[in-house]
PDB file of all heavy atoms in Angstrom:
ATOM      1  N   ARG B  31      13.347   0.286 -17.694  1.00  0.00           N
ATOM      2  CA  ARG B  31      13.067   1.656 -18.137  1.00  0.00           C
ATOM      3  C   ARG B  31      13.680   2.679 -17.176  1.00  0.00           C
ATOM      4  O   ARG B  31      13.923   3.811 -17.553  1.00  0.00           O
ATOM      5  CB  ARG B  31      11.562   1.889 -18.243  1.00  0.00           C
ATOM      6  CG  ARG B  31      10.922   1.044 -19.318  1.00  0.00           C
ATOM      7  CD  ARG B  31       9.504   1.451 -19.577  1.00  0.00           C
ATOM      8  NE  ARG B  31       9.411   2.803 -20.108  1.00  0.00           N
ATOM      9  CZ  ARG B  31       8.274   3.375 -20.464  1.00  0.00           C
ATOM     10  NH1 ARG B  31       7.134   2.724 -20.316  1.00  0.00           N
ATOM     11  NH2 ARG B  31       8.252   4.606 -20.927  1.00  0.00           N
ATOM     12  N   GLY B  32      13.917   2.252 -15.937  1.00  0.00           N
ATOM     13  CA  GLY B  32      14.540   3.157 -14.981  1.00  0.00           C
ATOM     14  C   GLY B  32      14.735   2.470 -13.644  1.00  0.00           C
ATOM     15  O   GLY B  32      13.925   1.626 -13.257  1.00  0.00           O
ATOM     16  N   LEU B  33      15.823   2.812 -12.954  1.00  0.00           N
ATOM     17  CA  LEU B  33      16.066   2.339 -11.597  1.00  0.00           C
ATOM     18  C   LEU B  33      16.231   3.572 -10.720  1.00  0.00           C
ATOM     19  O   LEU B  33      16.958   4.504 -11.092  1.00  0.00           O
ATOM     20  CB  LEU B  33      17.315   1.448 -11.519  1.00  0.00           C
ATOM     21  CG  LEU B  33      17.591   0.815 -10.147  1.00  0.00           C
ATOM     22  CD1 LEU B  33      18.109  -0.600 -10.292  1.00  0.00           C
ATOM     23  CD2 LEU B  33      18.489   1.664  -9.292  1.00  0.00           C
ATOM     24  N   PHE B  34      15.553   3.580  -9.599  1.00  0.00           N
ATOM     25  CA  PHE B  34      15.460   4.772  -8.766  1.00  0.00           C
ATOM     26  C   PHE B  34      15.967   4.483  -7.363  1.00  0.00           C
ATOM     27  O   PHE B  34      15.721   3.413  -6.814  1.00  0.00           O
ATOM     28  CB  PHE B  34      14.003   5.242  -8.675  1.00  0.00           C
ATOM     29  CG  PHE B  34      13.299   5.261 -10.001  1.00  0.00           C
ATOM     30  CD1 PHE B  34      12.498   4.193 -10.382  1.00  0.00           C
ATOM     31  CD2 PHE B  34      13.433   6.330 -10.866  1.00  0.00           C
ATOM     32  CE1 PHE B  34      11.850   4.190 -11.614  1.00  0.00           C
ATOM     33  CE2 PHE B  34      12.785   6.330 -12.094  1.00  0.00           C
ATOM     34  CZ  PHE B  34      11.996   5.260 -12.457  1.00  0.00           C
ATOM     35  N   TRP B  35      16.668   5.453  -6.790  1.00  0.00           N
ATOM     36  CA  TRP B  35      17.073   5.388  -5.390  1.00  0.00           C
ATOM     37  C   TRP B  35      16.388   6.516  -4.631  1.00  0.00           C
ATOM     38  O   TRP B  35      16.318   7.661  -5.109  1.00  0.00           O
ATOM     39  CB  TRP B  35      18.594   5.535  -5.250  1.00  0.00           C
ATOM     40  CG  TRP B  35      19.373   4.300  -5.572  1.00  0.00           C
ATOM     41  CD1 TRP B  35      20.031   4.000  -6.724  1.00  0.00           C
ATOM     42  CD2 TRP B  35      19.599   3.185  -4.695  1.00  0.00           C
ATOM     43  NE1 TRP B  35      20.638   2.774  -6.633  1.00  0.00           N
ATOM     44  CE2 TRP B  35      20.393   2.252  -5.398  1.00  0.00           C
ATOM     45  CE3 TRP B  35      19.209   2.877  -3.382  1.00  0.00           C
ATOM     46  CZ2 TRP B  35      20.817   1.034  -4.834  1.00  0.00           C
ATOM     47  CZ3 TRP B  35      19.625   1.671  -2.819  1.00  0.00           C
ATOM     48  CH2 TRP B  35      20.424   0.780  -3.546  1.00  0.00           C
ATOM     49  N   TYR B  36      15.924   6.153  -3.415  1.00  0.00           N
ATOM     50  CA  TYR B  36      15.290   7.116  -2.530  1.00  0.00           C
ATOM     51  C   TYR B  36      15.884   6.972  -1.140  1.00  0.00           C
ATOM     52  O   TYR B  36      16.323   5.892  -0.744  1.00  0.00           O
ATOM     53  CB  TYR B  36      13.775   6.867  -2.420  1.00  0.00           C
ATOM     54  CG  TYR B  36      13.012   7.017  -3.710  1.00  0.00           C
ATOM     55  CD1 TYR B  36      12.867   5.947  -4.583  1.00  0.00           C
ATOM     56  CD2 TYR B  36      12.419   8.231  -4.040  1.00  0.00           C
ATOM     57  CE1 TYR B  36      12.160   6.079  -5.764  1.00  0.00           C
ATOM     58  CE2 TYR B  36      11.706   8.372  -5.229  1.00  0.00           C
ATOM     59  CZ  TYR B  36      11.587   7.291  -6.074  1.00  0.00           C
ATOM     60  OH  TYR B  36      10.878   7.441  -7.243  1.00  0.00           O
ATOM     61  N   ARG B  37      15.824   8.056  -0.394  1.00  0.00           N
ATOM     62  CA  ARG B  37      16.178   8.054   1.021  1.00  0.00           C
ATOM     63  C   ARG B  37      14.894   8.351   1.798  1.00  0.00           C
ATOM     64  O   ARG B  37      14.135   9.248   1.425  1.00  0.00           O
ATOM     65  CB  ARG B  37      17.207   9.149   1.299  1.00  0.00           C
ATOM     66  CG  ARG B  37      17.435   9.412   2.775  1.00  0.00           C
ATOM     67  CD  ARG B  37      18.114  10.733   3.042  1.00  0.00           C
ATOM     68  NE  ARG B  37      18.061  11.017   4.466  1.00  0.00           N
ATOM     69  CZ  ARG B  37      19.141  11.242   5.203  1.00  0.00           C
ATOM     70  NH1 ARG B  37      20.355  11.244   4.648  1.00  0.00           N
ATOM     71  NH2 ARG B  37      19.027  11.474   6.500  1.00  0.00           N
ATOM     72  N   GLN B  38      14.649   7.596   2.887  1.00  0.00           N
ATOM     73  CA  GLN B  38      13.469   7.853   3.699  1.00  0.00           C
ATOM     74  C   GLN B  38      13.837   7.930   5.169  1.00  0.00           C
ATOM     75  O   GLN B  38      14.396   6.988   5.726  1.00  0.00           O
ATOM     76  CB  GLN B  38      12.384   6.785   3.485  1.00  0.00           C
ATOM     77  CG  GLN B  38      11.084   7.126   4.208  1.00  0.00           C
ATOM     78  CD  GLN B  38       9.934   6.199   3.856  1.00  0.00           C
ATOM     79  OE1 GLN B  38      10.139   5.055   3.464  1.00  0.00           O
ATOM     80  NE2 GLN B  38       8.700   6.685   3.992  1.00  0.00           N
ATOM     81  N   ASP B  39      13.501   9.060   5.779  1.00  0.00           N
ATOM     82  CA  ASP B  39      13.663   9.221   7.224  1.00  0.00           C
ATOM     83  C   ASP B  39      12.387   8.739   7.910  1.00  0.00           C
ATOM     84  O   ASP B  39      11.302   8.774   7.317  1.00  0.00           O
ATOM     85  CB  ASP B  39      13.938  10.690   7.561  1.00  0.00           C
ATOM     86  CG  ASP B  39      15.285  11.143   7.030  1.00  0.00           C
ATOM     87  OD1 ASP B  39      16.286  10.483   7.373  1.00  0.00           O
ATOM     88  OD2 ASP B  39      15.334  12.118   6.263  1.00  0.00           O
ATOM     89  N   PRO B  40      12.490   8.291   9.168  1.00  0.00           N
ATOM     90  CA  PRO B  40      11.324   7.729   9.870  1.00  0.00           C
ATOM     91  C   PRO B  40      10.132   8.679   9.877  1.00  0.00           C
ATOM     92  O   PRO B  40      10.272   9.859  10.206  1.00  0.00           O
ATOM     93  CB  PRO B  40      11.860   7.481  11.279  1.00  0.00           C
ATOM     94  CG  PRO B  40      13.330   7.279  11.108  1.00  0.00           C
ATOM     95  CD  PRO B  40      13.723   8.213   9.993  1.00  0.00           C
ATOM     96  N   GLY B  41       8.974   8.175   9.497  1.00  0.00           N
ATOM     97  CA  GLY B  41       7.747   8.957   9.532  1.00  0.00           C
ATOM     98  C   GLY B  41       7.617  10.006   8.453  1.00  0.00           C
ATOM     99  O   GLY B  41       6.677  10.810   8.474  1.00  0.00           O
ATOM    100  N   LYS B  42       8.531  10.007   7.484  1.00  0.00           N
ATOM    101  CA  LYS B  42       8.492  11.006   6.409  1.00  0.00           C
ATOM    102  C   LYS B  42       8.386  10.331   5.045  1.00  0.00           C
ATOM    103  O   LYS B  42       8.605   9.131   4.922  1.00  0.00           O
ATOM    104  CB  LYS B  42       9.735  11.898   6.462  1.00  0.00           C
ATOM    105  CG  LYS B  42       9.846  12.701   7.753  1.00  0.00           C
ATOM    106  CD  LYS B  42      10.991  13.683   7.696  1.00  0.00           C
ATOM    107  CE  LYS B  42      11.037  14.526   8.960  1.00  0.00           C
ATOM    108  NZ  LYS B  42      12.144  15.524   8.924  1.00  0.00           N
ATOM    109  N   GLY B  43       8.056  11.121   4.032  1.00  0.00           N
ATOM    110  CA  GLY B  43       7.996  10.578   2.690  1.00  0.00           C
ATOM    111  C   GLY B  43       9.380  10.348   2.114  1.00  0.00           C
ATOM    112  O   GLY B  43      10.343  11.013   2.502  1.00  0.00           O
TER     113      GLY B  43
END
Side-chain angles (χ1 to χ4, degrees):
Chain B
R31 295 190 64 177
L33 184 142
F34 314 97
W35 282 100
Y36 297 87
R37 169 197 169 123
Q38 186 172 26
D39 293 305
K42 298 187 177 181

